[in-house]
Amino acid sequence: MPHHFETLAIHAGQEPDPTTGAVMTPIYQTSTFVQSGVGEHKGYEYARTGNPTRTALEACLAALEGAPFGLAFASGMAAIDTLCKLLNPGDHVLASNDVYGGTFRLFDKQYKKYGIEFSYAELTDLQAVREGLRPNTRWVWIETPTNPRLKVVDIHAVAEIAHAHNPRIRVVVDNTFATPYLQQPLTLGADVVIHSTTKYLGGHSDVVGGALVTRDEAMHEQLKFLQNAAGAVPGPLDCFLVLRGIKTLPVRMERHGENALAVAQFLADHPKVAEVIYPGLDTHPQHAVAKRQMRNGGGMISFFIRGDAAATRALVARTKLFALAESLGGVESLIELPAAMTHGSTQGSPLEVAPGLIRLSVGLENKQDLMDDLAQALAEV
Ligand SMILES: *Cc1c(COP(=O)(O)O)cnc(C)c1O
């Protein structure tokens, strides 16, 4: 009988070590593997090509997304870069008009110069999806919820439109914000899933990593070739840390969602707050899609205060529990200003983030303590 998500998170790809009985997957800190004769080995030759700790992580990631194939990378951007190497000059990518700043930077500063076309559309509007598709469209690139505006894209509806336009289009979903616990894009009709495992999958702000998961065997073989040929692979300790983080993913995501909903409601009721964006609030424009597609609203909140740029900057420096830092998805709460920090590369582009937008990564601290911290910071601005 197939196991449930919580069981897969702890066991998929992992068995007690056959030689020692160690319950945790060993960190195979080795670059090479002995051969008993030329080409005679136990499945591993050189650690760029494969390492048993990485194999366990790759199998676990695939299982969590309900797919047969997973590959682990040195970072989320390394995963995205490897995927982009499948594009050819003349190909077109229709992307969400709100994507991670690093993704936009890689498209705009690197892959555009190879003759690949990128356009950015409001993918929450299905008419805009239809109008954005071109004869040479190869991929539709979805982030949902988006970073940092937390727009929710209907994966099933967009995949249907894209595949009806041309069955060869591949629908790519960056599932970093939701994680496979909250939503499984491949079961909704997408073709490839990307992760920055640096975020919720690792979950403890102590590792950088990425992943690509797909059901398409031919694509997987090409990606595996590139993983070995270009070599942006994670080390065994990093794989171990992500595997360990994943074991508690379901419980963490439940609490991230519970805490974030409480904080979002608190902010929505606060007189100094102008606007709160959180997919779990019924005021969110795509709340209905979020309810259908995700188990809860996730751990990320964006909001604007009533006040000028100076007040916004003062606020993010005055929280004590919410640390002012880039990144997200760890057990500890973080606060940041995307326009000046994570999304600096979008300034002056059509993806420019409003300077007053404040992004929270709501952690697993006591939710009352988190609300008290925001209350004291808001009281002073
Ligand atoms: C952080 C992030 C990335 C990039 O991942 P790294 O691990 O930092 O390279 C890509 N997509 C999203 C949505 C992210 O938040």
Side-chain angles (χ1 to χ4, degrees):
M1 215 161 63
H3 286 135
H4 293 91
F5 192 94
E6 294 80 355
T7 309
L8 293 174
I10 294 168
H11 296 290
Q14 299 154 82
E15 273 165 27
D17 179 44
T19 50
T20 64
V23 167
M24 287 300 288
T25 306
I27 300 163
Y28 287 94
Q29 193 71 48
T30 184
S31 60
T32 190
F33 300 83
V34 73
Q35 309 197 2
S36 52
V38 176
E40 287 170 26
H41 52 74
K42 298 184 160 80
Y44 296 95
E45 298 157 86
Y46 183 61
R48 167 159 39 72
T49 318
N51 175 292
T53 320
R54 197 172 94 210
T55 304
L57 173 59
E58 293 178 334
C60 184
L61 289 163
L64 296 188
E65 292 287 1
F69 308 112
L71 293 170
F73 291 88
S75 69
M77 290 318 304
I80 291 172
D81 181 61
T82 302
L83 188 62
C84 286
K85 289 190 168 97
L86 299 183
L87 292 165
N88 293 311
D91 286 344
H92 168 245
V93 177
L94 174 64
S96 160
N97 63 2
D98 188 33
V99 289
Y100 175 65
T103 303
F104 172 72
R105 182 175 57 195
L106 191 70
F107 289 171
D108 193 60
K109 298 271 187 286
Q110 193 62 26
Y111 281 93
K112 215 166 76 178
K113 78 177 185 198
Y114 299 142
I116 295 153
E117 296 168 25
F118 296 92
S119 64
Y120 303 90
E122 181 55 62
L123 300 188
T124 59
D125 173 359
L126 299 180
Q127 193 49 34
V129 176
R130 286 186 198 97
E131 285 166 9
L133 293 167
R134 300 177 187 174
N136 59 336
T137 302
R138 181 102 184 269
W139 294 348
V140 176
W141 191 283
I142 299 173
E143 233 181 74
T144 181
T146 64
N147 182 358
R149 290 182 191 82
L150 304 174
K151 295 177 185 178
V152 177
V153 177
D154 186 334
I155 298 170
H156 181 69
V158 172
E160 265 194 354
I161 292 168
H163 291 143
H165 176 83
N166 177 353
R168 287 167 56 195
I169 290 181
R170 292 287 170 256
V171 175
V172 181
V173 177
D174 184 332
N175 203 24
T176 298
F177 269 36
T179 81
Y181 180 70
L182 297 186
Q183 83 192 1
Q184 291 178 313
L186 300 177
T187 66
L188 295 169
D191 301 291
V192 193
V193 165
I194 295 164
H195 280 288
S196 167
T197 57
T198 313
K199 315 293 171 52
Y200 288 106
L201 294 180
H204 297 74
S205 305
D206 54 9
V207 64
V208 171
L212 294 174
V213 181
T214 182
R215 238 192 260 120
D216 179 335
E217 187 164 10
M219 183 185 247
H220 171 72
E221 288 306 325
Q222 288 175 298
L223 292 169
K224 199 171 158 58
F225 166 82
L226 286 167
Q227 182 195 41
N228 180 52
V233 293
L237 174 61
D238 290 356
C239 294
F240 173 89
L241 288 171
V242 177
L243 275 170
R244 188 175 66 166
I246 287 173
K247 290 178 194 292
T248 54
L249 181 71
V251 267
R252 284 188 289 109
M253 293 316 291
E254 284 294 336
R255 186 60 69 83
H256 279 298
E258 182 188 323
N259 282 3
L261 180 61
V263 170
Q265 278 162 344
F266 161 80
L267 289 171
D269 291 339
H270 199 285
K272 286 189 183 169
V273 173
E275 187 190 346
V276 182
I277 309 169
Y278 179 64
L281 287 181
D282 56 16
T283 50
H284 187 283
Q286 296 94 36
H287 179 63
V289 180
K291 266 181 81 171
R292 211 165 51 230
Q293 182 167 287
M294 300 170 69
R295 281 201 221 218
N296 67 41
M300 302 299 295
I301 299 172
S302 290
F303 70 105
F304 294 88
I305 59 167
R306 295 182 204 282
D308 58 10
T312 300
R313 283 187 177 244
L315 177 84
V316 300
R318 273 192 192 134
T319 53
K320 298 189 172 100
L321 271 178
F322 283 89
L324 177 59
E326 300 196 359
S327 200
L328 61 112
V331 293
E332 64 290 304
S333 292
L334 303 177
I335 191 166
E336 69 128 355
L337 273 188
M341 297 169 66
T342 47
H343 288 66
S345 64
T346 63
Q347 294 316 96
S349 84
L351 279 74
E352 187 165 305
V353 177
L357 184 139
I358 301 167
R359 192 185 79 178
L360 299 179
S361 174
V362 180
L364 306 184
E365 299 92 341
N366 179 280
K367 62 189 171 200
Q368 191 58 52
D369 292 343
L370 294 177
M371 292 186 274
D372 290 348
D373 187 34
L374 290 167
Q376 66 78 24
L378 281 161
E380 291 195 33
V381 300

